[in-house]
Amino acid sequence: MSSGIALPFFDEIHQLAVDIVNASAEGDTKALWSNYQALRKLCENNEFSPRNHPFQWEALADFTCDLNQALKIYRKALRYANEKNLVDYSASITFAMANRLYDDGERDAARELLVEADKLAQSTNDLELRREISALLLACCE
């Protein structure tokens, strides 16, 4: 997916994501929480600036444990993606929401979002995302 954002901004979010994953793998709750809060703060600081981008919000939602809170953040990310007409991000965010719902056992809600994500993804060149959406859509129909 083409990010459309400045590389230093992407790198900053990517590094926080890597730090969160590494802290989780090491069982370092303090580092995990600290990096999550840094990502949250970065999102909040950028929200009403030219640096605001759905990528940051999607990353924050991906690492938000509470499903309802994560869905709120995903919806915010989706709103920003739609405002900027970033279809790749809209498809990715919609898929992420569906994936979280599927993992929580909400297959009907997940299926609805997957159908939407599939429609969005078909207008992109992201074949990997399209494949992942199709695979989860098939799993929802079992």
Side-chain angles (χ1 to χ4, degrees), residues 20-77:
I20 291 168
V21 169
N22 289 340
S24 177
E26 295 168 5
D28 187 345
T29 306
K30 184 177 178 182
L32 188 152
W33 184 247
S34 175
N35 286 299
Y36 176 84
Q37 291 303 320
L39 178 57
R40 183 189 58 76
K41 187 73 170 165
L42 185 140
C43 290
E44 290 172 356
N45 288 343
N46 291 338
E47 185 168 13
F48 301 107
S49 79
R51 286 176 49 117
N52 191 36
H53 197 279
F55 173 71
Q56 66 189 7
W57 295 102
E58 183 177 8
L60 181 63
D62 287 345
F63 292 109
T64 300
C65 295
D66 179 80
L67 176 64
N68 290 326
Q69 187 63 31
L71 291 173
K72 285 179 188 177
I73 297 168
Y74 281 127
R75 284 191 287 274
K76 181 182 282 198

